[in-house]
Amino acid sequence: MTRADDRLTELEHLKELRKQGQLDTLAYYKGLLKLAADLVQNLRDEDISEEEAKRQIPLVLVFLEEQIAKFKGRGG
C-alpha cells in the first residue's frame, strides 16, 4: 500500500465516522486537518517534477490564501 493509499483510507474512514455520527463537527474538522498535515509531509518528501509542481502551485496557493484569510478573520 502506498502513502497515497494510506491517506485515502484515512479520509474514507473519517468520512464514514462522520456519516455515522461518531464524530462531531469539530472532531471531524481536526481529523481532516491532521490528515492534511500528514499529506503535506508526504508531499514534501515526494520526488516531483518541475512540470508537475507548476501544475500544483495554483491549487496550493488558493488553499493557503483562503485558509490564512479565514484564520485571520477568526482572530488567529
Side-chain angles (χ1 to χ4, degrees):
M1 184 176 279
T2 66
R3 291 176 292 175
D5 291 330
D6 292 342
R7 298 298 81 78
L8 186 57
T9 298
E10 291 171 24
L11 177 58
E12 293 304 323
H13 180 68
L14 279 172
K15 289 167 59 176
E16 187 60 31
L17 290 175
R18 178 66 176 157
K19 183 179 176 183
Q20 294 175 4
Q22 296 180 27
L23 292 178
D24 64 17
T25 301
L26 192 53
Y28 185 50
Y29 173 75
K30 289 185 177 189
L32 291 172
L33 289 178
K34 182 188 179 315
L35 176 59
D38 292 344
L39 178 60
V40 165
Q41 185 60 51
N42 294 149
L43 294 173
R44 288 182 63 191
D45 295 342
E46 179 186 31
D47 183 22
I48 188 172
S49 72
E50 178 130 350
E51 200 54 44
E52 185 63 27
K54 284 179 185 179
R55 288 193 291 268
Q56 293 299 313
I57 287 170
L59 176 64
V60 174
L61 279 174
V62 166
F63 174 79
L64 290 172
E65 290 168 350
E66 286 185 10
Q67 291 305 308
I68 290 169
K70 289 177 183 182
F71 181 51
K72 183 177 180 180
R74 293 189 303 265

